[in-house]
């Protein structure tokens, strides 16, 4: 697992190492979104109580929440969530079958977890956007077969395939967002005195200003657009992009939708995690310890 190798590095708080992880996660997220975009919206899988089969099993959540529970139960047994950069969406998971690896203490103890927000914005805002083309294509086919009205939209019946990819997307976005903690810890460790006054007040705006680099965000969005536009194309057997395969609605993914996902959701939510982490960075410390840090 990528995270385990990263956590056992000699300097896991190196911003260059952290950035390399985040860049690779961009590829993972884009490819997973492309896979999800081939299916229609299938809103039924996000509505709690919409599957009587799950109710009969005593599960009151949605189809996706059931998938998350089942998959994360197995991953928990394989000690995935003992790594400090992994955050499950499911509570009350079983203990690992294997003995946990011994990770260095990198992050300050905290309970910051953005997964409820990630799950909500993904299912309510992202899925409808990236599946729009597949949903419209499905409606065209249904109308040709005499199915009209509400029944012509949204549902293609691929509940298992869609939810499997949803889990992969959610886990990748969760890892990306929670890496904000490592960014914050790295910057705090470099100069605690810059952060401590704004933590003690507290002053969220000042902390956000300290961690925000507009030029870095701009380069990220530019890189992301180029990647998404490239991956959205079809390729010939010789590996060359097929001319026009990304035009006129033929692209594998809505490139603007991918960029907006980062610009409007992932980047702002990551900042919230970074600031929330910093606001708890002095919890439990004595005045003497804080004074000593303030000199650095």
């Amino acid at each position: 697992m990528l995270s385990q190798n990263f956590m056992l590095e000699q300097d896991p708080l190196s911003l260059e190492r952290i950035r390399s992880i985040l860049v690779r996660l961009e590829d993972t997220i884009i490819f997973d979104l492309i896979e999800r975009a081939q299916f229609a919206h299938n809103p039924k899988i996000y509505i709690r109580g919409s599957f009587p089969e799950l109710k009969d099993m005593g599960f009151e959540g949605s189809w996706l929440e059931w998938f998350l529970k089942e998959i994360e139960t197995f991953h928990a047994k394989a000690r995935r969530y003992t790594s400090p950069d992994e955050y499950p969406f499911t509570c009350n998971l079983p203990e690992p079958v294997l003995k946990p690896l011994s990770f260095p203490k990198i992050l300050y103890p905290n309970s910051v977890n953005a997964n409820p927000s990630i799950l909500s914005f993904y299912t309510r805002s992202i899925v409808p956007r990236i599946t729009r083309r597949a949903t419209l294509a499905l409606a065209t086919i249904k109308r040709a077969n005499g199915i009209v009205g509400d029944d012509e939209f949204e549902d293609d019946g691929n509940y298992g395939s869609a939810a499997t990819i949803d889990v992969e997307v959610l886990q990748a976005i969760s890892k990306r967002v929670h890496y904000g903690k490592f960014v914050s810890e790295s910057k705090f460790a470099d100069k605690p005195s810059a952060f401590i006054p704004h933590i003690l007040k507290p002053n969220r705006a000042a902390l956000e200003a300290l961690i925000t680099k507009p030029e870095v965000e701009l380069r990220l969005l530019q890189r992301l657009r180029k990647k998404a536009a490239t991956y959205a194309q079809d390729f010939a057997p010789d590996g060359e992009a097929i001319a026009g395969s990304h035009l006129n609605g033929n692209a594998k993914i809505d490139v603007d939708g991918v960029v907006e996902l980062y610009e409007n959701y992932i980047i702002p939510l990551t900042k919230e995690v970074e600031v929330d982490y910093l606001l708890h960075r002095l919890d439990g410390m004595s005045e003497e310890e804080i004074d000593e840090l303030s000199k650095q």
Side-chain angles (χ1 to χ4, degrees):
M1 196 179 298
L2 179 150
S3 59
Q4 293 178 350
N5 292 332
F6 169 75
M7 293 303 157
L8 297 174
E9 290 277 1
Q10 186 174 2
D11 185 12
L13 286 178
S14 161
L15 284 177
E16 285 305 310
R17 283 201 176 95
I18 294 171
R19 289 192 185 106
S20 71
I21 299 294
L22 299 183
V23 169
R24 287 200 291 271
L25 281 170
E26 291 171 9
D27 296 337
T28 300
I29 291 170
I30 293 172
F31 281 121
D32 284 343
L33 290 174
I34 288 173
E35 288 298 303
R36 181 61 182 89
Q38 69 182 303
F39 301 110
H41 182 186
N42 295 324
K44 181 179 179 180
I45 69 179
Y46 309 117
I47 300 172
R48 294 186 178 95
S50 60
F51 282 82
E53 297 88 346
L54 297 183
K55 283 187 173 183
D56 292 342
M57 296 165 49
F59 188 80
E60 298 296 329
S62 69
W63 179 260
L64 176 58
E65 289 170 329
W66 178 66
F67 255 66
L68 283 165
K69 176 179 179 295
E70 293 296 311
I71 291 172
E72 291 185 338
T73 292
F74 171 73
H75 287 178
K77 292 178 180 179
R79 71 183 176 195
R80 176 173 186 168
Y81 303 112
T82 63
S83 178
D85 65 339
E86 295 283 358
Y87 294 80
F89 289 81
T90 308
C91 300
N92 302 317
L93 290 169
E95 293 297 317
V97 173
L98 300 172
K99 291 183 179 180
L101 295 173
S102 179
F103 292 108
K105 292 184 178 180
I106 303 168
L107 297 178
Y108 196 74
N110 70 95
S111 59
V112 177
N113 190 325
N115 278 350
S117 297
I118 292 171
L119 181 61
S120 179
F121 80 64
Y122 175 75
T123 57
R124 295 173 185 234
S125 299
I126 303 308
V127 174
R129 174 69 183 267
I130 64 173
T131 60
R132 185 182 303 162
R133 293 174 186 175
T135 298
L136 292 175
L138 172 69
T140 300
I141 295 172
K142 286 187 174 182
R143 286 195 300 272
N145 288 284
I147 302 172
V148 296
D150 290 341
D151 289 339
E152 72 185 71
F153 282 102
E154 297 183 330
D155 199 319
D156 61 13
N158 288 300
Y159 307 137
S161 297
T164 298
I165 300 168
D166 283 336
V167 170
E168 294 176 359
V169 179
L170 286 166
Q171 289 175 335
I173 292 176
S174 175
K175 178 175 286 191
R176 200 281 176 204
V177 167
H178 288 104
Y179 257 100
K181 295 184 183 184
F182 295 92
V183 175
S184 285
E185 181 61 31
S186 178
K187 292 180 177 180
F188 178 89
D190 184 57
K191 194 174 182 182
S193 59
F195 293 89
I196 288 175
H198 305 304
I199 296 173
L200 293 174
K201 277 190 177 180
N203 188 332
R204 293 188 67 95
L207 290 172
E208 183 172 334
L210 285 171
I211 61 175
T212 298
K213 303 291 183 185
E215 67 280 4
V216 173
E217 292 179 11
L218 178 61
R219 287 198 300 270
L220 184 160
L221 294 173
Q222 291 171 337
R223 180 177 66 245
L224 194 73
R225 181 174 293 278
K226 290 179 180 178
K227 284 184 179 183
T230 299
Y231 302 154
Q233 301 177 92
D234 287 317
F235 292 85
D238 62 359
E240 291 296 319
I242 298 174
S245 62
H246 63 299
L247 301 175
N248 302 320
N250 294 320
K252 296 176 183 176
I253 190 72
D254 179 349
V255 174
D256 289 337
V258 175
V259 176
E260 288 179 20
L261 165 63
Y262 261 77
E263 186 173 19
N264 297 330
Y265 292 100
I266 290 181
I267 292 175
L269 193 56
T270 302
K271 287 183 186 178
E272 287 183 29
V273 166
E274 292 177 8
V275 172
D276 287 342
Y277 175 82
L278 287 169
L279 288 172
H280 291 282
R281 184 56 181 79
L282 305 178
D283 288 357
M285 297 182 67
S286 66
E287 289 187 15
E288 290 78 11
E289 290 171 320
I290 293 173
D291 288 341
E292 188 63 32
L293 272 178
S294 298
K295 299 174 185 177
Q296 300 179 27

